[in-house]
Amino acid sequence: IVKENSSSMKEFILLSLSDNQGVQKIYFVVFLLFYMLTVAGNLIVLTVTSSRHLNSPMYFFLCHLSFIDICYSSVTAPQMISGFLVENNTISFAGCIGQLFGVHFFGCTEIFILTAMAYDRYVAICRPLHYPALMSRRLCGRVVGLSWAGGFLHSTLQTLPIALLPFCGPNKVAHYFCDVHPLLHLACADTRAEGLAAVANSGLISLSCFLILVTSYVVILVSLKGQTLAGWHKALSTCGSHIAVVFLFFGPITFVYIRPSSDLSEDRTVAVFYTLITPMLNPLIYTLRNGEVKGAVRKLCRRKV
C-alpha cells in the first residue's frame, strides 16, 4: 500500500457506499443481483435486436445501446461489488485511469446514441413518408460510428489531464469508482482549471444533449395536434420508453457533472443511478413498452426451451 506523501501514487483505495459491515453484505447481494440482471437483460435485447426480423433503425440503435450498457456497468460494478467483501478496495493507478476512461467513453457514447434515437423517433412520427430516405442504413451506421468516435474523443480529453496530474498525498478516492471530481481532490496541484474543463466537457455535453432531447419531444407533441386518440396512443407508445430512459439517465448525470462538485458523498449516491440502475432498467423499459421486442423475446425463449 502506498504511503502518504510518497513521490508517486501506485494505487488508490476506493470507498464503499457504506461503512457498516452488515449493510455492506446486504449491498453485495443487492448489487450483484442488479449487475446480473443488467448483463442478462441487455444480452437478451442484444440477441433479439440483432435478428433479421427487427431491422428498422430503432432496433439498430437499441442493439448498440444494449452493448454499451453491458460495457458501461461492467467498468464500475464488479469493482464496487467485490469491494463490499474486503476492508480496503484497492485499485492500481493504471487501473484507476483506465476505469476513468471507460466510464466516460461508454457514458458519452450512450448519450450520443440516445440523442440519435430521439432524432429517429422525431422522423418516424413527424415525417413518416420521408423516414426510409432520412434514416437509411448507411446514415444510421455513420451516426453510430460518430457516436463511438465522439465518446472516444471526449474520454481522451477528460482522462489525459487527470493522468498527468501529480498524486503524492492521501490515496483514498471518495467514490466507489475513479471519476474526475474525486481524483481532482487528491491531486497535489492547483486543479481549478481541470475542474472547469471537466464541467465544460462532461457538463455541457450532457446538458446540451438533454435539451436537444427535450426539444425533440416537445416538437413531437406539438405535431400531434389534431391527431386522433389512436394517433396519440401510437406516438406515445413509440417514444414513451425512450422518454423514460432519457430522464432516468440524464437527470443524475447532468446533476453530477454540470457543477463543480463539493459534496462527493452525494455524487457517490447519485452515480449509482446512471452507472447501474439505468443500464439494468433499459431492457425492461424497452421490452415492456414495445410489442415487437416482446414478441421476439417470446420466440427466442420458446426456441431455447
Side-chain angles (χ1 to χ4, degrees), residues 117-146:
M117 291 174 73
Y119 177 72
D120 172 71
R121 293 302 84 207
Y122 161 75
V123 176
I125 294 171
C126 299
R127 305 185 68 183
L129 298 178
H130 299 89
Y131 184 75
L134 291 174
M135 297 302 296
S136 66
R137 191 75 176 184
R138 178 180 292 182
L139 176 64
C140 293
R142 288 176 177 174
V143 168
V144 168
L146 287 173

Side-chain angles (χ1 to χ4, degrees), residues 205-275:
I205 287 176
S206 57
L207 181 61
S208 58
C209 288
F210 179 67
L211 292 177
I212 290 171
L213 289 163
V214 171
T215 303
S216 71
Y217 287 117
V218 170
V219 172
I220 289 172
L221 292 175
V222 170
S223 71
L224 293 174
K225 274 188 176 180
Q227 290 277 346
T228 62
L229 186 61
W232 272 88
H233 182 266
K234 183 179 179 182
L236 292 177
S237 64
T238 302
C239 59
S241 55
H242 194 249
I243 294 173
V245 170
V246 163
F247 278 94
L248 283 171
F249 183 72
F250 278 89
I253 209 168
T254 304
F255 171 79
V256 169
Y257 291 109
I258 198 60
R259 79 212 197 287
S261 183
S262 56
D263 190 347
L264 294 177
S265 62
E266 195 175 65
D267 287 1
R268 190 164 71 240
T269 305
V270 173
V272 173
F273 285 91
Y274 61 82
T275 58

Side-chain angles (χ1 to χ4, degrees), residues 44-45 47-60 62 120-121 131 234 237-238 241 283 285-300 302:
I44 291 172
V45 174
T47 304
V48 167
T49 53
S50 59
S51 68
R52 293 191 303 258
H53 305 292
L54 300 178
N55 55 8
S56 72
M58 181 176 71
Y59 301 119
F60 177 70
L62 186 55
D120 172 71
R121 293 302 84 207
Y131 184 75
K234 183 179 179 182
S237 64
T238 302
S241 55
I285 290 172
Y286 280 108
T287 303
L288 294 175
R289 296 288 298 176
N290 191 294
E292 287 182 306
V293 176
K294 282 192 287 187
V297 170
R298 282 195 291 267
K299 287 181 183 177
L300 177 67
R302 283 199 295 268

Side-chain angles (χ1 to χ4, degrees), residues 5 13 108-109 131 177 254:
N5 300 321
I13 298 174
C108 188
T109 305
Y131 184 75
F177 67 90
T254 304

Side-chain angles (χ1 to χ4, degrees), residues 33-231:
L33 177 63
F34 282 179
Y35 180 61
M36 292 170 64
L37 289 173
T38 300
V39 174
N42 280 290
L43 279 176
I44 291 172
V45 174
L46 189 62
T47 304
V48 167
T49 53
S50 59
S51 68
R52 293 191 303 258
H53 305 292
L54 300 178
N55 55 8
S56 72
M58 181 176 71
Y59 301 119
F60 177 70
F61 290 130
L62 186 55
C63 181
H64 281 270
L65 183 68
S66 293
F67 176 72
I68 291 168
D69 278 336
I70 293 172
C71 298
Y72 189 38
S73 58
S74 296
V75 172
T76 58
Q79 182 82 36
M80 174 183 70
I81 293 167
S82 63
F84 292 131
L85 301 179
V86 296
E87 185 176 348
N88 286 328
N89 184 18
T90 59
I91 184 171
S92 67
F93 180 83
C96 185
I97 297 301
Q99 189 178 61
L100 173 64
F101 181 87
V103 166
H104 285 271
F105 176 45
F106 293 115
C108 188
T109 305
E110 178 157 348
I111 286 175
F112 291 146
I113 293 289
L114 288 172
T115 307
M117 291 174 73
Y119 177 72
D120 172 71
R121 293 302 84 207
Y122 161 75
V123 176
I125 294 171
C126 299
R127 305 185 68 183
L129 298 178
H130 299 89
Y131 184 75
L134 291 174
M135 297 302 296
S136 66
R137 191 75 176 184
R138 178 180 292 182
L139 176 64
C140 293
R142 288 176 177 174
V143 168
V144 168
L146 287 173
S147 297
W148 283 100
F152 180 82
L153 178 62
H154 157 78
S155 188
T156 301
L157 294 175
Q158 195 77 293
T159 305
L160 194 57
I162 305 298
L164 296 176
L165 287 173
F167 293 95
C168 54
N171 64 341
K172 284 191 175 181
V173 180
H175 213 307
Y176 63 87
F177 67 90
C178 291
D179 203 2
V180 176
H181 294 308
L183 290 177
L184 288 178
H185 279 69
L186 297 180
C188 306
D190 185 355
T191 59
R192 283 175 293 184
E194 287 81 1
L196 290 174
V199 171
N201 193 343
S202 296
L204 287 182
I205 287 176
S206 57
L207 181 61
S208 58
C209 288
F210 179 67
L211 292 177
I212 290 171
L213 289 163
V214 171
T215 303
S216 71
Y217 287 117
V218 170
V219 172
I220 289 172
L221 292 175
V222 170
S223 71
L224 293 174
K225 274 188 176 180
Q227 290 277 346
T228 62
L229 186 61

